[in-house]
Amino acid sequence: MNPTTPSNEVKTPVALPVSQTIRQRIIASKTRFHANDNIADFIKPGELDALLEEVQGKLHGVLQSLVIDTDSDHNTQDTGRRVAKMFIHEVFRGRYVPMPALTEFPNAAHLNELMIIGPITVRSACSHHLCPIIGRIWIGVMPNEHSNLIGLSKYARIADWIMSRPQIQEEAVVQLADILQDKIQPDGLAIVMEADHFCMHWRGVKDMDSKMINSVMRGSFLKDPNLRREFLSLRNVKK
């Protein structure tokens, strides 16, 4: 055949990796997809399993680039898959699944006294080094007669959903506050988080005693110093 003669051979389109397919959907919708964003709306049924397989292959490549003999080392033969499952189904799960359903109740008794929920144990990973962040959260709510009250377990479920992503603590607390403010519509909302950061404990300065504490105060907690002091003092009692 003359090299210049067009071939009649039909070329099979090359399938894109599932991560690229999902990425294209997100970009087309002009939606942000940072490490701490939820992208569940852009993942179709079955694609999460395919994404796990893709991540497994990439992580196996990382081990090979670290010059680890995964063929003969029985300890690392399945490490790529184990880590991929951990990332997608556990520590970064909050990126890939929808927000947990909330059970909401009307404030029939017109409750208007301070409620404190916590400490809620939370686990995350620093988005800079993917090292663990392990800490506790306290939530203060000042409801009004129009507020929706949610079941106590839902505070823990929402906090876990937010934290199960690569995060920085300052942004995680704001994300949690935004969701609770929207769902409950209280007169005031306060959140305090105290956490250990293994990017300081395990690497870098290797300081085992340092913790990070930050807070978000909204509504009456921001305006009323007495209410803010009451929340912070009761939070200390509940440690």
Side-chain angles (χ1 to χ4, degrees):
M1 181 186 292
N2 189 320
T4 62
T5 303
S7 170
N8 293 325
E9 181 182 351
V10 177
K11 294 183 178 180
T12 303
V14 177
L16 286 175
V18 68
S19 63
Q20 291 300 317
T21 301
I22 297 168
R23 181 184 295 262
Q24 287 180 356
R25 289 186 199 125
I26 300 172
I27 292 173
S29 72
K30 298 182 179 180
T31 301
R32 198 184 82 164
F33 55 108
H34 289 184
N36 61 352
D37 289 325
N38 179 272
I39 60 171
D41 288 345
F42 302 96
I43 300 175
K44 294 183 178 181
E47 287 184 335
L48 209 54
D49 290 335
L51 187 62
L52 191 152
E53 296 292 332
E54 181 183 337
V55 173
Q56 173 186 344
K58 297 289 180 66
L59 287 168
H60 187 74
V62 169
L63 295 174
Q64 290 182 322
S65 295
L66 291 171
V67 198
I68 296 174
D69 182 1
T70 56
D71 293 326
S72 63
D73 179 6
H74 62 281
N75 289 317
T76 57
Q77 285 174 353
D78 295 321
T79 294
R81 183 165 187 83
R82 283 193 293 263
V83 176
K85 289 175 66 176
M86 179 186 71
F87 280 166
I88 290 176
H89 292 314
E90 295 180 85
V91 295
F92 300 156
R93 183 174 181 271
R95 298 197 75 236
Y96 305 111
V97 298
M99 184 176 71
L102 296 182
T103 305
E104 300 180 18
F105 308 94
N107 188 4
H110 294 177
L111 301 174
N112 63 353
E113 299 292 337
L114 172 61
M115 302 186 299
I116 298 178
I117 301 93
I120 299 169
T121 300
V122 291
R123 299 163 185 86
S124 188
C126 166
S127 52
H128 298 152
H129 297 96
L130 301 186
C131 289
I133 299 172
I134 300 177
R136 298 183 295 174
I137 287 177
W138 291 261
I139 301 169
V141 177
M142 180 59 73
N144 59 55
E145 61 180 308
H146 304 294
S147 295
N148 290 320
L149 305 180
I150 64 175
L152 284 178
S153 67
K154 305 307 181 186
Y155 290 96
R157 293 186 187 278
I158 292 295
D160 178 69
W161 182 68
I162 290 291
M163 296 302 298
S164 294
R165 310 168 191 182
Q167 281 283 13
I168 64 170
Q169 184 172 331
E170 304 93 309
E171 293 178 357
V173 172
V174 172
Q175 284 184 321
L176 179 58
D178 287 345
I179 287 178
L180 293 177
Q181 184 73 40
D182 178 65
K183 296 297 181 182
I184 303 173
Q185 296 293 315
D187 279 346
L189 178 68
I191 300 176
V192 170
M193 179 172 172
E194 174 186 283
D196 291 291
H197 289 245
F198 282 71
C199 58
M200 287 184 63
H201 296 348
W202 191 25
R203 56 160 300 281
V205 296
K206 297 181 180 177
D207 183 345
M208 296 299 296
D209 297 321
S210 295
K211 295 180 183 290
M212 181 176 179
I213 303 174
N214 69 318
S215 67
V216 171
M217 302 286 170
R218 295 186 177 173
S220 52
F221 287 97
L222 190 61
K223 299 172 184 176
D224 185 345
N226 291 325
L227 178 62
R228 187 162 59 249
R229 279 194 294 270
E230 180 183 1
F231 166 70
L232 292 174
S233 64
L234 289 174
R235 172 240 170 197
N236 289 330
V237 169
K238 294 172 74 65
K239 275 191 175 182

